[in-house]
Amino acid sequence: MRDIGEYDHRSIESKYSKKWVEEAIYHTKDIKKDLRFSIVIPPPNVTGSLHMGHALNVTLQDIICRWQRMLGKSVVWVPGFDHAGIATQYVVDKKLQGEGKNRLDMGREKFLKEVWTWVPISRNSIKEQLERIGVSVDWKRERFTLDEGFSRAVRYAFRKLYEDGLIYRSEYIINWCPRDLTALSDLEVEHEEEEGKLYYIKYPLEDNSGYITVATTRPETMLGDTAVAVHPDDERYRHLIGKRVKLPLVNWKRRSMSGEEVSAYIPVIADQSVLSEFGTGAVKITPAHDPNDFEIGRRHNLPFVKVMDEHARMNENAGEFAGLDRYQAREIILQKLSELGLLEKIEQHRHAVGKCYRCKTTVEPMVSLQWFVKVSDPRIKDGAVNVVKEGKIRFVPEGWKKTYLQWMENLKDWCISRQIWWGHRIPVWYCKSCGRENVFTDDDFDRVYDKIIFNLIADGKIGYEFTPEEVESILHSPSFTHPNITLLEFYKKYAFHKYHSTEVDANSLRLFFSQDLNPMAMLTEKKSRYRYDPRYKKYRFILRCKHCGHEELEQDSDVLDTWFSSALWPFGVFGWPEKTQDLEKLYPTDLLVTGFDIIFFWVARMIMMGTYLMEDIPFSDVYIHALVRDEKGQKMSKTKGNVIDPLDMVERYGADALRFTLAILTQQGRDIKLSEKRFEGYRHFANKLWNAGRFILMNLDGDLLQNLPYGAPPKSEDLWILTKLNRTAQKVNKALSEYEFSEASQALYEFVWGEFCDWYLEMSKLRLYAKADESLPEEERQKQETKIKAERITAQATLLSVFDRILKLLHPFMPYVTQELYSNLPTSYEENISLTEFPLYNPQEVYPDAEEKVERLKGIVSSIRSLRSDLKIEPSKRIRLYYRASQSEKLVEEFRQHLLNLARLEDLQRVDQRPSNALAGFYGDFEFFIPVEEGIKVTELLNSYTKRHQEVLRSLESVERKLKNEEFLKKAPKEEIEKAERMKEELIAEKKKLEELIVLLQEVKPAGASQ
Ligand SMILES: [Zn+2]
Ligand SMILES: [Zn+2]
């Protein structure tokens, strides 16, 4: 007998979230390969904080991981963070601007230092948030997409693809964000419909015989035109093909990207791709600023004239317009054209405009030199298509498979270079002598010190010139990802594990560097890797061109698209390219849980890189979850003010309530509509569970476990609850194996609240509270006491056994409250409930007879309760009840005492005839009668029900009229119509019920009562 007090989620959750991390209970050391379950977290960006989508994502993963762990698997769930190139650079840039600093003035090195100081602060706060939600990740395996091991993996991947001819550098038309000053991949451009204008401009023919009119939405690009194109079959223009037109306004020298002068007289060409129906059927061609024109330019060998700079300001090729912003230039150009009478007309024109996904600036298509992965190559594409087609990778829900395959069909090469500073710098060094490209990785060096120095330089940790002390201090400083170990130890763990015994200090380094400086080594000049500069007392690391041996190399200044490193995530986290034990045992992973918005950005690329670099799928199942929206189905956004912050909910209602809410609302293929009320509702559920535990613990005898052998045989209700428990376990296991989160949580909710708390706990009270009859003679009383004790043991044992399993079944969903309650049970043989066994269906604990009986009993009780409530009898009032029954007679005998308790009866009497002046109800063959004298106000009820009946009829008529109204059906939003239909159904049901009640009451109507 002890009292655990009231439920307080704050104290429970703060106690365990810290403890679980400190004790590293989710760190799996000995992995049984055939019994392993491995999964990597979609790494949250190091910017900002967790939103509800993250909370959902990690909750679903955690449920599966905890469940798999309790099924006995070696579960490894790898956590980590993404460096989020553009997004992070943007946030830090903004912060610096607020402090009056400027990134460009600071320079790359200093700016990156600022980012590195800001990132851990942000990362640690997200980490703390994840811990509060209770995710059972293995923090000892935490990774960061920009940690030393990952940076090395990125260079390896780049080199492999480059050497296989799958990465190339090319001039290409790309989407340029003039605000973020970087190229964007096609996926990073959002197309928005906009009301724009179509300008018709006259280009005079060279021979002054007339004009060709072209239509454009971006007139400022005309300054970069190098042709006018028409369709070869277009009769209107056929005679003009081969002639030249004079580009209006342009009376200055223009230069192409390859440096040649380009005339303002431009040819009229024919190209199949021109749409005769668009505008006038003649289009201006600006190969350097439009994707279609780029293709046409290539086909016809046209010169490429760039007229804008990186800020989308007009450049020197724009002559008198140079220096103007693109939109300013547009206005002035239009004005001048109009003055010259060359602006034929302007039309309203609705069209899609590309916007930067991050800053919403209108993208400017531009030709520039960029790096690409040739994902359209069959070596990459086919593998990634086949594994999904053949079902080696399974999408859940299945519909996403089609989406994925369709996208793969039309795959375009992936632009991977970004003109920003924060990220993986492209591992290409250009030779200043021969101009060729060199890709280096530490594979190019034999000695471990060389490898370390190279990586430090390539990661920007040291410059090409350094002192041994500098290197020592960096290597002995804490690792970014695991501050409890040094950078050197981190290297040994994730990059150089075969050199585990290598120690590095300034002395050993100096000794090593000077080997290269001894006279013998100097003779073989090429071999020496280091030079000593006595002026600065620094050593210099020398990279040599692989093609000509020249020492002056310059690294590409761009960084890689963030998704390039994320694509390596499922194997990079395990130490690839090293052949680590983790990689061997944990790849491929078993599951990926993610949102549909990044199927192309991320899922597809992981599949491509996994199948190409690892020659194996990255994961076997991909569970795609829905979006979290507000209760009206709108996307949550700060501007709309409808954001629900997960950490607020954790604070107010507890992480358990948050998790259970998200799980129970997660139905495959449906968005989640969320309101704060939902969390409140499931907080009640956590509380209900707590109170059940509290009640059980208060009623357990201290010596219960020793006395178990003296228990009485189980009663029907014991067998019934065990049966229900097993059926629930079966449902939960099946639902989880199919990622049906809502079904699993629904089954648990119904069982725990609807069966265990509402019925079994109530029924157990009879035995828990039973007392011997004091008036009996001593001997008989003792006999009775022994019997009562034996029955109490059985009731307590059943309560305990079922509750123990309820906690285990609920643990994956509500880890905290279940852990705390479990710790209080006398049967908590393990310290951590997450390391106990998950309950499975046990056919030996299924008793269909007992199940059928108790279900019937519940039916009878519910019918009585329902009639009592219809007759407005106070719930606490005990009443007399008469009944008639045939088959149920035995049931009534067995459960007589329960019936009295559960239906609040003072007396239960069998009758042969229906008593007069009583209201009748029934359940199956069980007929029951409540005498009017039990305080039923027949006239009053009859009046109120009749009145309500009339109201219902009126409302029904009005809603039916509404649903027949064509106008309403046409104009009203879908939700409105559904609401009306629901209302109609409810009214019909109420009408039927009221009519039954009215008939019932009229049977016992006292004389003179009004109709
Ligand atoms: Zn932008
Ligand atoms: Zn060279």
Side-chain angles (χ1 to χ4, degrees):
M1 279 256 203
R2 60 198 209 78
D3 187 359
I4 53 171
E6 306 242 307
Y7 176 45
D8 171 14
H9 66 264
R10 286 188 194 90
S11 69
I12 297 170
E13 293 180 1
S14 66
K15 172 167 83 181
Y16 288 112
S17 65
K18 282 202 192 73
K19 189 168 160 347
W20 288 337
V21 177
E22 276 160 18
E23 294 177 3
I25 63 169
Y26 306 117
H27 174 57
T28 312
K29 252 191 262 167
D30 305 312
I31 300 152
K32 296 169 226 125
K33 193 178 174 185
D34 46 343
L35 261 183
R36 63 89 213 250
F37 183 83
S38 100
I39 174 168
V40 293
I41 205 169
N45 288 349
V46 286
T47 48
S49 54
L50 291 191
H51 54 64
M52 202 52 93
H54 289 120
L56 171 70
N57 178 271
V58 296
T59 295
L60 300 182
Q61 288 173 79
D62 195 50
I63 290 170
I64 296 292
C65 284
R66 285 180 187 273
W67 172 60
Q68 290 282 358
R69 196 177 287 118
M70 291 173 80
L71 289 177
K73 299 271 181 70
S74 304
V75 171
V76 174
W77 183 11
V78 181
F81 299 90
D82 197 294
H83 67 280
I86 299 185
T88 306
Q89 172 153 336
Y90 180 82
V91 172
V92 177
D93 210 4
K94 270 233 145 152
K95 181 184 151 278
L96 290 174
Q97 278 170 25
E99 295 163 12
K101 293 181 205 161
N102 182 304
R103 172 170 65 90
L104 298 169
D105 295 343
M106 274 176 129
R108 186 169 192 143
E109 211 175 306
K110 269 198 178 153
F111 176 75
L112 288 179
K113 266 208 181 110
E114 292 277 349
V115 186
W116 278 111
T117 34
W118 179 82
V119 159
I121 301 168
S122 170
R123 187 241 347 228
N124 293 347
S125 106
I126 305 171
K127 199 168 162 176
E128 207 173 287
Q129 295 170 6
L130 287 172
E131 286 170 9
R132 285 187 69 187
I133 294 175
V135 299
S136 62
V137 296
D138 186 347
W139 285 116
K140 290 200 168 188
R141 284 189 167 86
E142 181 188 337
R143 295 301 299 272
F144 180 46
T145 52
L146 205 53
D147 68 29
E148 291 76 11
F150 235 91
S151 296
R152 182 170 172 264
V154 163
R155 285 191 286 275
Y156 267 78
F158 188 97
R159 178 177 184 159
K160 165 87 178 129
L161 293 164
Y162 179 85
E163 287 177 351
D164 293 351
L166 292 168
I167 279 188
Y168 62 91
R169 193 180 191 217
S170 164
E171 277 201 334
Y172 198 76
I173 185 101
I174 43 94
N175 309 293
W176 182 265
C177 174
R179 184 182 168 128
D180 291 322
L181 301 184
T182 184
L184 302 170
S185 74
D186 287 342
L187 287 173
E188 290 163 329
V189 178
E190 291 170 353
H191 294 275
E192 282 174 20
E193 280 278 317
E194 251 181 27
E195 209 55 66
K197 290 194 170 79
L198 192 60
Y199 305 93
Y200 288 77
I201 305 169
K202 293 198 250 183
Y203 285 13
L205 285 157
E206 189 179 20
D207 56 14
N208 285 323
S209 60
Y211 303 96
I212 288 189
T213 303
V214 296
T216 177
T217 55
R218 290 151 68 221
E220 63 280 9
T221 61
M222 67 171 284
L223 305 180
D225 284 2
T226 54
V228 166
V230 296
H231 194 277
D233 301 336
D234 195 331
E235 294 293 341
R236 293 172 292 176
Y237 299 111
R238 194 175 281 172
H239 64 288
L240 296 176
I241 296 168
K243 289 197 171 180
R244 298 206 302 175
V245 292
K246 164 74 175 65
L247 196 53
L249 306 179
V250 177
N251 53 9
W252 54 82
K253 278 185 184 171
R254 304 186 300 164
R255 289 204 178 275
S256 76
M257 291 177 67
S258 43
E260 292 129 31
E261 200 174 311
V262 180
S263 163
Y265 289 95
I266 58 175
V268 179
I269 58 169
D271 193 278
Q272 294 282 355
S273 69
V274 176
L275 300 169
S276 301
E277 312 81 62
F278 178 78
T280 59
V283 289
K284 56 192 273 315
I285 302 298
T286 325
H289 289 284
D290 181 276
N292 292 324
D293 297 3
F294 175 81
E295 297 296 338
I296 294 177
R298 278 200 164 174
R299 274 202 289 278
H300 296 268
N301 240 331
L302 299 173
F304 285 51
V305 176
K306 254 175 120 164
V307 292
M308 279 177 228
D309 68 7
E310 55 184 355
H311 300 281
R313 268 192 311 251
M314 308 311 285
N315 67 10
E316 62 284 357
N317 277 328
E320 59 184 284
F321 304 100
L324 293 177
D325 170 78
R326 52 182 163 170
Y327 298 120
Q328 283 177 326
R330 178 179 299 179
E331 290 317 310
I332 300 175
I333 286 170
L334 288 170
Q335 198 187 321
K336 297 219 158 172
L337 287 171
S338 158
E339 283 163 14
L340 294 169
L342 296 174
L343 188 58
E344 194 176 292
K345 60 173 170 173
I346 303 174
E347 277 177 359
Q348 287 297 319
H349 180 61
R350 209 174 159 71
H351 63 143
V353 176
K355 305 259 169 161
C356 168
Y357 80 112
R358 254 220 34 263
C359 72
K360 312 294 170 204
T361 302
T362 298
V363 161
E364 191 63 41
M366 266 195 228
V367 167
S368 69
L369 209 47
Q370 303 286 343
W371 286 96
F372 292 85
V373 180
K374 206 172 173 186
V375 287
S376 58
D377 189 286
R379 284 173 291 168
I380 294 183
K381 184 176 163 172
D382 291 358
V385 166
N386 291 339
V387 291
V388 173
K389 265 195 185 153
E390 291 161 9
K392 284 185 188 141
I393 293 178
R394 184 168 75 108
F395 278 89
V396 183
E398 224 190 327
W400 294 110
K401 175 179 176 176
K402 205 175 134 199
T403 314
Y404 170 86
L405 289 174
Q406 265 172 0
W407 188 71
M408 291 297 288
E409 281 283 292
N410 305 306
L411 209 52
K412 277 201 198 150
D413 285 356
W414 171 19
C415 174
I416 50 167
S417 39
R418 294 290 181 276
Q419 290 66 44
I420 55 172
W421 290 344
W422 174 245
H424 299 278
R425 193 157 168 180
I426 291 179
V428 174
W429 281 258
Y430 304 103
C431 175
K432 285 193 172 166
S433 169
C434 72
R436 292 161 81 179
E437 296 159 355
N438 292 273
V439 178
F440 289 106
T441 63
D442 62 23
D443 259 1
D444 291 303
F445 317 102
D446 307 326
R447 303 171 302 183
V448 63
Y449 278 15
D450 293 337
K451 289 175 190 283
I452 291 176
I453 298 292
F454 168 78
N455 282 302
L456 288 176
I457 292 172
D459 289 354
K461 295 261 164 18
I462 55 173
Y464 288 90
E465 287 186 3
F466 47 84
T467 65
E469 287 74 17
E470 202 184 328
V471 176
E472 178 185 327
S473 116
I474 285 171
L475 287 174
H476 288 185
S477 60
S479 140
F480 174 83
T481 313
H482 291 282
N484 54 329
I485 60 172
T486 66
L487 175 53
L488 182 62
E489 284 164 327
F490 182 84
Y491 261 143
K492 287 194 234 170
K493 196 166 171 191
Y494 291 107
F496 305 121
H497 75 143
K498 52 181 172 256
Y499 305 111
H500 58 89
S501 58
T502 305
E503 256 324 313
V504 184
D505 62 37
N507 275 332
S508 65
L509 282 169
R510 195 171 296 110
L511 210 65
F512 174 77
F513 297 149
S514 27
Q515 280 171 15
D516 278 18
L517 302 173
N518 78 38
M520 284 306 285
M522 299 288 265
L523 285 178
T524 52
E525 163 70 10
K526 290 237 144 132
K527 287 254 163 72
S528 79
R529 196 43 83 193
Y530 302 92
R531 295 263 168 70
Y532 184 64
D533 186 339
R535 281 173 308 170
Y536 304 105
K537 299 201 163 110
K538 283 189 166 183
Y539 289 87
R540 184 179 169 77
F541 183 80
I542 298 156
L543 275 180
R544 292 190 182 83
C545 173
K546 291 180 184 181
H547 311 285
C548 73
H550 197 77
E551 288 178 9
E552 261 188 86
L553 302 183
E554 196 174 16
Q555 192 177 357
D556 195 302
S557 59
D558 289 356
V559 301
L560 289 164
D561 179 10
T562 304
W563 299 103
F564 188 86
S565 50
S566 326
L568 314 178
W569 188 245
F571 43 98
V573 295
F574 297 127
W576 185 87
E578 297 299 297
K579 291 187 177 67
T580 60
Q581 280 211 354
D582 265 13
L583 188 65
E584 193 250 321
K585 288 186 173 167
L586 298 168
Y587 189 88
T589 64
D590 294 275
L591 171 65
L592 178 83
V593 177
T594 189
F596 65 82
D597 47 338
I598 51 177
I599 291 183
F600 308 135
F601 277 113
W602 193 42
V603 180
R605 281 152 181 181
M606 282 191 284
I607 298 177
M608 294 186 230
M609 290 300 119
T611 47
Y612 189 71
L613 296 170
M614 290 294 296
E615 296 176 10
D616 202 349
I617 52 170
F619 27 71
S620 36
D621 283 5
V622 184
Y623 177 81
I624 304 285
H625 59 71
L627 275 184
V628 182
R629 299 176 180 276
D630 76 359
E631 57 186 320
K632 291 183 197 126
Q634 303 223 26
K635 223 173 162 175
M636 288 191 189
S637 82
K638 275 187 197 147
T639 39
K640 280 189 207 136
N642 60 353
V643 173
I644 306 178
D645 175 31
L647 274 299
D648 273 359
M649 297 302 106
V650 168
E651 181 57 31
R652 250 173 266 170
Y653 307 108
D656 284 329
L658 170 94
R659 295 168 57 114
F660 199 82
T661 308
L662 292 172
I664 207 164
L665 295 178
T666 295
Q667 284 177 298
Q668 285 184 14
R670 283 224 204 135
D671 281 348
I672 293 179
K673 290 184 188 170
L674 214 49
S675 67
E676 191 171 337
K677 276 225 162 60
R678 302 273 195 168
F679 298 106
E680 204 185 332
Y682 293 109
R683 168 68 165 68
H684 292 322
F685 179 54
N687 198 50
K688 186 88 183 168
L689 182 75
W690 180 268
N691 287 339
R694 187 180 181 190
F695 169 82
I696 292 166
L697 287 166
M698 292 236 272
N699 286 290
L700 288 188
D701 294 339
D703 53 2
L704 173 67
L705 297 183
Q706 295 96 286
N707 286 336
L708 284 182
Y710 312 112
K715 300 235 180 231
S716 292
E717 60 263 35
D718 300 330
L719 302 178
W720 164 76
I721 197 72
L722 281 171
T723 306
K724 287 284 172 191
L725 172 73
N726 275 284
R727 296 209 193 283
T728 306
Q730 186 179 31
K731 270 190 218 160
V732 171
N733 280 292
K734 181 164 182 289
L736 287 181
S737 70
E738 290 161 357
Y739 308 108
E740 297 283 5
F741 295 95
S742 183
E743 258 177 54
S745 2
Q746 199 70 48
L748 282 164
Y749 183 88
E750 278 162 18
F751 173 69
V752 173
W753 195 313
E755 315 273 14
F756 186 72
C757 294
D758 281 355
W759 294 95
Y760 188 73
L761 278 187
E762 290 308 312
M763 292 173 85
S764 74
K765 286 178 183 167
L766 214 54
R767 282 177 285 168
L768 294 178
Y769 298 158
K771 290 246 155 45
D773 185 352
E774 292 292 332
S775 64
L776 285 174
E778 177 67 14
E779 201 178 320
E780 264 182 72
R781 209 191 68 205
Q782 273 193 359
K783 235 167 128 187
Q784 202 184 33
E785 258 170 16
T786 313
K787 184 169 172 264
I788 287 174
K789 167 96 185 168
E791 289 189 339
R792 196 168 63 228
I793 290 169
T794 304
Q796 291 182 7
T798 313
L799 278 172
L800 182 58
S801 150
V802 173
F803 194 66
D804 176 279
R805 280 183 273 175
I806 283 179
L807 294 179
K808 287 170 184 168
L809 284 167
L810 269 175
H811 178 69
F813 303 84
M814 305 177 118
Y816 292 109
V817 66
T818 51
Q819 171 70 61
E820 178 67 7
L821 286 168
Y822 176 79
S823 304
N824 280 295
L825 297 186
T827 44
S828 56
Y829 304 115
E830 279 277 357
E831 190 188 340
N832 293 301
I833 186 173
S834 59
L835 306 179
T836 62
E837 278 179 34
F838 198 74
L840 298 175
Y841 176 70
N842 176 6
Q844 275 159 349
E845 277 184 335
V846 171
Y847 305 93
D849 288 349
E851 186 182 20
E852 193 270 336
K853 272 198 274 184
V854 177
E855 288 304 319
R856 203 133 51 93
L857 169 73
K858 280 169 60 189
I860 291 171
V861 172
S862 303
S863 307
I864 302 172
R865 282 178 180 167
S866 146
L867 187 60
R868 283 183 58 135
S869 117
D870 289 339
L871 300 176
K872 312 264 189 261
I873 299 174
E874 276 201 23
S876 59
K877 182 179 160 68
R878 287 198 176 265
I879 56 165
R880 275 174 307 132
L881 192 86
Y882 302 105
Y883 77 96
R884 267 198 311 203
S886 45
Q887 306 103 287
S888 298
E889 185 60 55
K890 267 174 104 178
L891 190 87
V892 176
E893 269 166 39
E894 183 180 346
F895 294 104
R896 185 178 183 82
Q897 206 52 48
H898 285 307
L899 269 168
L900 293 175
N901 277 354
L902 297 169
R904 302 292 297 171
L905 305 179
E906 185 188 305
D907 189 21
L908 181 63
Q909 264 184 55
R910 198 196 138 96
V911 288
D912 292 326
Q913 293 284 317
R914 175 176 177 165
S916 60
N917 223 24
L919 289 128
F922 69 96
Y923 180 82
D925 70 316
F926 181 88
E927 271 183 285
F928 60 93
F929 312 100
I930 303 180
V932 171
E933 69 250 37
E934 288 297 338
I936 302 164
K937 296 168 180 142
V938 177
T939 316
E940 214 173 282
L941 282 170
L942 203 48
N943 286 342
S944 106
Y945 284 137
T946 313
K947 198 172 150 216
R948 175 68 196 151
H949 184 243
Q950 281 157 358
E951 278 169 23
V952 167
L953 285 180
R954 273 199 300 274
S955 311
L956 192 59
E957 198 189 332
S958 122
V959 78
E960 276 173 339
R961 204 166 38 224
K962 201 171 180 185
L963 282 169
K964 276 185 200 140
N965 183 341
E966 300 275 335
E967 200 73 350
F968 170 75
L969 293 177
K970 235 187 281 168
K971 284 192 184 153
K974 210 175 102 219
E975 287 156 43
E976 193 83 1
I977 297 171
E978 281 171 1
K979 204 173 133 198
E981 270 160 1
R982 256 200 320 276
M983 200 167 147
K984 184 182 156 188
E985 310 239 311
E986 280 165 15
L987 287 168
I988 290 175
E990 195 182 350
K991 172 175 165 273
K992 187 167 166 258
K993 173 110 202 258
L994 286 166
E995 282 161 5
E996 283 167 11
L997 280 169
I998 289 168
V999 169
L1000 208 63
L1001 286 162
Q1002 271 168 343
E1003 285 172 4
V1004 294
K1005 188 176 68 170
S1010 68
Q1011 191 64 39

